[in-house]
Amino acid sequence: MTRYFHGGIPGLKPGDLITPHPPNVVDGCDICAAKAAGQQPVVDGLGVVDPLTERPDRVYLTSDREYARFYASKYPLGDLYVVEPVGDLEPSAEDHFPTWTAPTARVASVYDRAVRLTPHRRRTLLRRWKAADLEHARARE
């Protein structure tokens, strides 16, 4: 059985439902404001960063705990949850980590509260992210 994770809004407890919601907006965050306005965030020299979600009507889940931890860390003091999909589960091709979408998800347990990525975890995730992107590019050749 696959174990699914979701990182995001803090304070949920087992049994709570995670439902689709508008992008989280942090005061003073230009990327957050662009996403909330439905625009692709672009950073000079980097191009598009943190692309818009293709399925804003669904909740995203992953079997990769550290990838979900990254999303929890993007929410100010967000939490990392073990979740169960509620409704039909569809694979997502947006990410190069294993991800799925569901209409909603139920919190099975809280894995970690107030997530912040340490520099070591950031470096490790960046290496894995680059490897996943490279593997995806090779598969498309």
Side-chain angles (χ1 to χ4, degrees):
M1 181 174 156
T2 302
R3 189 174 187 194
Y4 298 105
F5 296 90
H6 177 87
I9 190 167
L12 300 179
K13 50 192 182 309
D16 285 350
L17 287 178
I18 300 171
T19 59
H21 57 82
N24 183 42
V25 177
V26 177
D27 288 339
C29 172
D30 293 338
I31 292 170
C32 300
K35 289 182 78 166
Q39 302 166 352
Q40 289 285 12
V42 177
V43 174
D44 290 338
L46 293 177
V48 173
V49 295
D50 199 11
L52 293 173
T53 300
E54 290 181 11
R55 295 297 310 269
D57 60 324
R58 299 188 52 100
V59 173
Y60 284 76
L61 319 172
T62 180
S63 57
D64 190 298
R65 183 186 65 225
E66 295 308 305
Y67 187 56
R69 184 183 304 280
F70 166 73
Y71 279 93
S73 76
K74 288 175 52 175
Y75 208 103
L77 302 176
D79 294 341
L80 177 61
Y81 304 103
V82 176
V83 297
E84 299 163 350
V86 176
D88 59 316
L89 196 60
E90 295 178 4
S92 170
E94 291 177 59
D95 305 302
H96 300 150
F97 286 93
T99 55
W100 296 266
T101 67
T104 60
R106 185 176 315 282
V107 175
S109 63
V110 178
Y111 192 89
D112 201 3
R113 294 271 189 209
V115 172
R116 291 186 184 182
L117 291 185
T118 63
H120 172 74
R121 280 199 161 137
R122 285 184 189 281
R123 287 190 305 272
T124 300
L125 182 59
L126 181 58
R127 280 193 301 273
R128 291 183 59 228
W129 206 312
K130 286 180 178 179
D133 288 349
L134 182 60
E135 183 178 324
H136 177 76
R138 285 182 180 153
R140 293 182 62 191
E141 292 177 347

